Amino acid sequence: GFAHTAILDSSQRVLTCGQGDSGALGHGQPLADEPFFRPVKEIPAVSLLSCGGFFTACTCTTDDGQAIWTFGRNEYMQLGRGSYAAAEAKIAVNRLKKMNSVRVGME
């Protein structure tokens, strides 16, 4: 992202660090900067991951298929939640049967 980094480890966990005031780290409140990689909790096993400028998107495998999880700044409704509300907390926004990639833009 513009001011954050997200990585996927061998256990399919997302770890993030960097600027936290937009919620893009997925660590919830308080929205603080994180100098070291820290696991994002409460997300199922992640298969695909991508960082936008100030938000993060990932796909997770669940019992009923795949879910897209998004968190962070949401000025242009890019989180797919149907509103402009920012997302300090992670949330599954859509269920699809199969996804081959996840890509996000700057904003």
Side-chain angles (χ1 to χ4, degrees):
F2 182 73
H4 75 290
T5 302
I7 61 172
L8 190 58
D9 73 7
S10 61
S11 298
Q12 295 183 294
R13 293 181 315 161
V14 175
L15 295 92
T16 59
C17 67
Q19 186 179 35
D21 64 352
S22 65
L25 301 182
H27 299 157
Q29 296 289 342
L31 298 179
D33 294 350
E34 182 61 53
F36 303 104
F37 282 103
R38 181 173 145 202
V40 177
K41 297 178 181 176
E42 302 169 5
I43 294 182
V46 173
S47 53
L48 303 167
L49 173 68
S50 188
C51 291
F54 298 95
F55 66 100
T56 306
C58 56
T59 61
C60 307
T61 303
T62 65
D63 291 339
D64 20 326
Q66 287 182 311
I68 299 170
W69 289 69
T70 59
F71 40 96
R73 190 179 290 177
N74 193 30
E75 291 178 42
Y76 306 103
M77 291 193 283
Q78 68 269 35
L79 299 183
R81 298 170 184 218
S83 75
Y84 291 102
E88 292 87 16
K90 305 153 296 294
I91 189 167
V93 294
N94 196 4
R95 296 208 181 275
L96 302 171
K97 292 186 179 187
K98 183 166 172 71
M99 289 173 275
N100 295 320
S101 68
V102 59
R103 301 283 187 267
V104 297
M106 181 60 175
E107 293 289 333

